């Protein structure tokens, strides 16, 4: 059996892992909002004033911390006034990006009610591409202002006299493309123009600029974050920079082993891009901690097209990839303040799929459930000695040896949490785990695995991939785990 080892330094805590790293993204796209979240009060599907009860319960169980809405590309063609007021008077509009009719039944008040029901924070994305600063600032006034204006009276008439206090505001989305086709310099001007007025309406909001992520073949996007920051020197206006990262290797449930490993190899590039964004923010804003937000990320398989509302298989491989990304985000907790997997229900790497009144949790859902003890805990210094595999990470020039296991550890009170991914398709890995700086009282664990990385949960077979408890015997400062092939193992270690 192959061997690895993990060392965790209990007395070397680092940054706090923001709970918002476990955030979500829900766009008016396919069946994410309509059917997935909103069925309307008249539906026979059990609902709370239009919001599906099974989905609310699933997200509550995860303690979902934040949801980004209404897009995505949809955001830069969304006019918020279409979605407030009596539902039967709202216009039907064209959803240009996703080729659907938008009924506007689910608007600002419905979304904010959804957030309240889930217990999460809202993160709104304002329309820069086809909107105006006046429209964006009016939306903020509608949501957050406590004084007496026509817009706050409208909010009260729509059932919410008290301000909502929405804290996170995205200033557009992918503004090089569907968000207006700007150059980084033009977007810097737009960002400043919008942000000046948004800040004046509510000085405590956090403004998120639209950055670029993994578009390594496009020379403009590769330099976007740098060139945007260089052209937008008003440090007081920017609180966070957003990046997006989508991945694909082979098809969703049909892929060769080489494609399986290639997906995990792409984590090398993802980490490099995160580090470069970190350096850009450190260079341009040395006196301020501008957070990095990865507000769209996940696998986007070739099966997901506009024609099918971006629906795709969601397998164990995807779930292990998500767990590996979360481990990566933890390790960069000093800079990354939020991450929003795309998208919550039915679309892309969703956490649940629905069909009529039935719902199935995807393997990725179980990753969020298993790893949530890391939310708000302190990252611990850890070292992983691991076998490697060979892969050619996207955007890089050559093959390289990629670490097989990835892990992260955190601490809250007298408990250490450790999450380890073994993506090997056939190798169990015997792994001694050594805690430095503390003794162990007890260990409990769960493992997510299945016969094949291609396994998925469906409406007909919703429990194919579900976590199981594992027994771990520990003594002194260490113990040994056998990490099964294609698995996520999460351990809770009570300190003596
Ligand atoms: O998540 C689907 C789309 O991907 C979003 O609308 C857009 O921002 C990104 O390109």
């Amino acid at each position: 059996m192959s061997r690895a080892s993990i060392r965790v330094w209990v007395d070397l805590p680092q940054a706090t892992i923001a709970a918002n790293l476990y955030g979500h993204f829900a766009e008016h796209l396919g069946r994410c909002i309509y059917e997935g979240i909103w069925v309307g009060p008249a539906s026979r599907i059990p609902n709370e004033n239009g919001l599906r009860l099974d989905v609310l319960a699933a997200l509550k169980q995860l303690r979902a911390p934040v949801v980004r809405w209404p897009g995505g590309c949809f955001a830069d063609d969304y006019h918020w006034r279409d979605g407030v007021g009596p539902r039967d008077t709202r216009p039907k509009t064209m959803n240009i990006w996703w080729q659907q009719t938008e009924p506007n039944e689910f608007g600002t008040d419905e979304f904010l009610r959804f957030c309240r029901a889930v217990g999460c924070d809202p993160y709104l994305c304002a329309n820069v591409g086809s909107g105006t600063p006046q429209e964006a600032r009016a939306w903020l006034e509608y949501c957050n202002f406590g004084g007496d204006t026509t817009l706050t009276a409208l909010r009260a008439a729509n059932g919410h006299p008290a301000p909502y206090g929405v804290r996170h505001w995205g200033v557009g989305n992918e503004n090089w493309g569907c968000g207006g086709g700007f150059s980084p310099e033009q977007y810097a001007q737009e960002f400043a123009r919008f942000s000046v007025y948004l800040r004046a309406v509510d000085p405590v909001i956090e403004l998120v600029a639209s950055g670029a992520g993994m578009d390594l073949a496009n020379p403009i996007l590769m330099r976007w974050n740098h060139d945007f920051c260089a052209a937008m020197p008003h440090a007081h206006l920017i609180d966070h920079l957003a990046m997006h990262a989508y991945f694909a290797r082979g098809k969703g449930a049909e892929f060769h082993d080489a494609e399986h490993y290639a997906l995990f190899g792409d984590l090398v590039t993802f980490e490099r891009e995160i580090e470069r964004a970190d350096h850009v923010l450190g260079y341009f804003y040395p006196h301020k901690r501008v957070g990095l937000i990865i507000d769209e990320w996940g696998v986007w398989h070739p099966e997901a097209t506009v024609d099918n509302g971006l629906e795709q298989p969601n397998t164990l491989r995807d779930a292990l990839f998500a767990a590996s990304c979360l481990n990566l985000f933890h390790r960069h907790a000093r800079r990354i303040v939020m991450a929003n997997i795309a998208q919550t229900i039915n679309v892309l790497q969703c956490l649940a799929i629905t069909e009529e009144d039935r719902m199935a949790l995807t393997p990725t859902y179980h990753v969020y459930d298993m790893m949530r003890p890391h939310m708000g805990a302190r990252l611990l210094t850890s070292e992983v000695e691991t076998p490697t595999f060979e892969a050619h990470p996207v955007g890089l020039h050559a093959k390289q040896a990629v670490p097989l296991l990835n892990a992260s550890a955190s601490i809250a009170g007298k408990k250490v949490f450790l999450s380890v991914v073994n993506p090997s398709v056939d190798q169990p890995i015997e792994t001694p785990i050594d805690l430095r700086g503390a003794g162990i009282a007890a260990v409990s664990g769960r493992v997510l695995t299945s016969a094949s990385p291609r396994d998925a949960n469906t409406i007909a077979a919703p429990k194919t991939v579900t976590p199981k408890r594992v027994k771990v015997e520990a003594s002194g400062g260490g113990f040994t785990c056998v990490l099964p092939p294609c698995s996520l193992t999460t351990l809770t270690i009570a300190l003596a």
Side-chain angles (χ1 to χ4, degrees):
M1 190 184 314
S2 301
R3 273 178 71 91
S5 73
I6 298 177
R7 200 168 304 121
V8 178
W9 296 85
V10 177
D11 46 4
L12 260 185
Q14 302 181 29
T16 296
I17 295 172
N20 280 349
L21 297 192
Y22 285 73
H24 304 275
F25 166 46
E27 179 168 13
H28 288 240
L29 192 177
R31 300 190 304 125
C32 183
I33 299 293
Y34 299 107
E35 288 189 46
I37 289 174
W38 177 259
V39 288
S43 172
R44 64 170 191 84
I45 298 170
N47 69 83
E48 183 184 301
N49 208 353
L51 302 167
R52 312 183 54 119
L53 283 177
D54 49 3
V55 165
L56 288 183
L59 294 173
K60 262 196 236 177
Q61 155 72 18
L62 291 185
R63 296 201 168 68
V66 62
V67 179
R68 175 177 183 248
W69 177 85
C73 290
F74 180 80
D76 281 273
D77 194 42
Y78 182 60
H79 301 285
W80 67 272
R81 280 175 191 259
D82 291 344
V84 295
R87 277 194 285 276
D88 55 0
T89 64
R90 297 184 194 173
K92 276 197 177 126
T93 51
M94 186 181 164
N95 182 335
I96 54 172
W97 298 112
W98 309 115
Q99 297 175 18
Q100 295 171 252
T101 300
E102 171 54 51
N104 283 301
E105 277 177 34
F106 188 88
T108 304
D109 296 297
E110 286 80 10
F111 173 65
L112 294 170
R113 185 154 55 75
F114 161 75
C115 290
R116 206 149 276 194
V118 169
C120 68
D121 284 336
Y123 165 18
L124 295 181
C125 184
N127 178 348
V128 170
S130 70
T132 61
Q134 196 274 339
E135 181 187 26
R137 144 248 179 294
W139 197 15
L140 175 55
E141 180 181 329
Y142 179 86
C143 291
N144 284 12
F145 188 50
D148 176 19
T149 66
T150 302
L151 282 173
T152 59
L154 180 63
R155 184 184 68 220
N158 291 336
H160 212 278
Y164 284 112
V166 178
R167 197 174 180 86
H168 287 98
W169 288 80
V171 183
N173 169 77
E174 295 192 356
N175 296 90
W176 60 86
C178 61
F182 299 111
S183 69
E185 294 77 16
Q186 288 165 332
Y187 174 63
Q189 291 297 312
E190 292 298 310
F191 176 83
R193 197 163 75 102
F194 276 68
S195 299
V196 162
Y197 299 103
L198 292 170
R199 195 53 112 223
V201 172
D202 185 348
V204 305
I205 59 167
E206 296 180 28
L207 292 163
V208 184
S210 167
M214 297 279 296
D215 304 277
L216 305 171
N218 180 326
I220 294 179
L221 293 189
M222 232 184 135
R223 291 190 54 85
W224 176 279
N225 293 345
H226 175 281
D227 293 353
F228 162 76
C229 291
M232 210 301 294
H234 310 290
H236 67 288
L237 292 178
I238 182 170
D239 298 302
H240 309 291
L241 181 73
M243 72 184 259
H244 294 176
Y246 288 106
F247 302 84
R249 292 290 193 159
K251 291 175 81 179
E254 292 164 40
F255 47 86
H256 304 297
D257 285 355
E259 290 166 331
H260 171 87
Y261 286 110
L263 184 68
F264 292 90
D266 289 345
L267 290 165
V268 170
T269 316
F270 195 12
E271 180 150 33
R272 196 189 68 167
E273 292 306 301
I274 288 170
E275 281 168 358
R276 198 149 51 84
D278 176 34
H279 296 155
V280 165
L281 294 175
Y283 175 70
F284 284 103
Y285 310 111
H287 305 301
K288 181 178 179 185
R289 182 179 174 237
V290 174
L292 183 62
I293 293 186
I294 302 166
D295 61 16
E296 287 184 32
W297 69 273
V299 289
W300 184 329
H301 298 304
E303 291 93 325
T305 62
V306 175
D307 289 345
N308 72 357
L310 301 193
E311 295 195 20
Q312 64 184 18
N314 276 279
T315 63
L316 175 62
R317 175 177 75 146
D318 301 332
L320 300 181
F321 184 72
S324 307
C325 290
L326 291 169
N327 276 337
L328 175 59
F329 300 161
H330 297 165
R331 296 197 302 269
H332 290 273
R334 194 181 44 80
R335 179 64 78 183
I336 307 178
V337 295
M338 192 194 293
N340 312 71
I341 192 166
Q343 299 193 3
T344 318
I345 313 292
N346 290 325
V347 170
L348 295 176
Q349 191 166 359
C350 53
L351 279 85
I353 48 176
T354 64
E355 203 179 287
E356 297 287 328
D357 59 348
R358 293 189 296 167
M359 180 189 77
L361 303 173
T362 63
T364 298
Y365 178 93
H366 295 301
V367 165
Y368 274 69
D369 194 31
M370 290 168 71
M371 289 180 69
R372 69 188 161 83
H374 286 296
M375 291 164 67
R378 288 282 293 279
L379 178 70
L380 287 177
T381 305
S382 59
E383 293 151 3
V384 184
E385 276 180 54
T386 164
T388 57
F389 63 91
E390 203 173 65
H392 187 162
V394 61
L396 304 194
H397 290 300
K399 283 188 177 175
Q400 56 176 272
V402 178
L404 181 67
L405 299 188
N406 67 73
S408 68
S410 65
I411 187 165
K414 296 268 283 175
K415 281 186 178 158
V416 168
F417 309 108
L418 179 64
S419 41
V420 194
V421 178
N422 175 13
S424 169
V425 292
D426 50 11
Q427 291 292 307
I429 312 281
E430 189 179 50
T431 310
I433 295 166
D434 179 19
L435 249 60
R436 295 289 167 95
I440 297 175
V443 185
S444 61
R446 288 202 287 170
V447 64
L448 185 74
T449 188
S450 191
S452 161
R454 296 155 188 90
D455 286 351
N457 297 334
T458 60
I459 294 285
K463 298 218 173 339
T464 307
V465 187
T466 44
K468 311 236 169 347
R469 298 226 156 264
V470 281
K471 264 195 138 175
V472 185
E473 302 292 340
S475 66
F479 55 95
T480 294
C481 274
V482 176
L483 306 168
C486 274
S487 66
L488 163 68
T489 302
T490 54
L491 299 165
T492 300
I493 304 164
L495 300 179

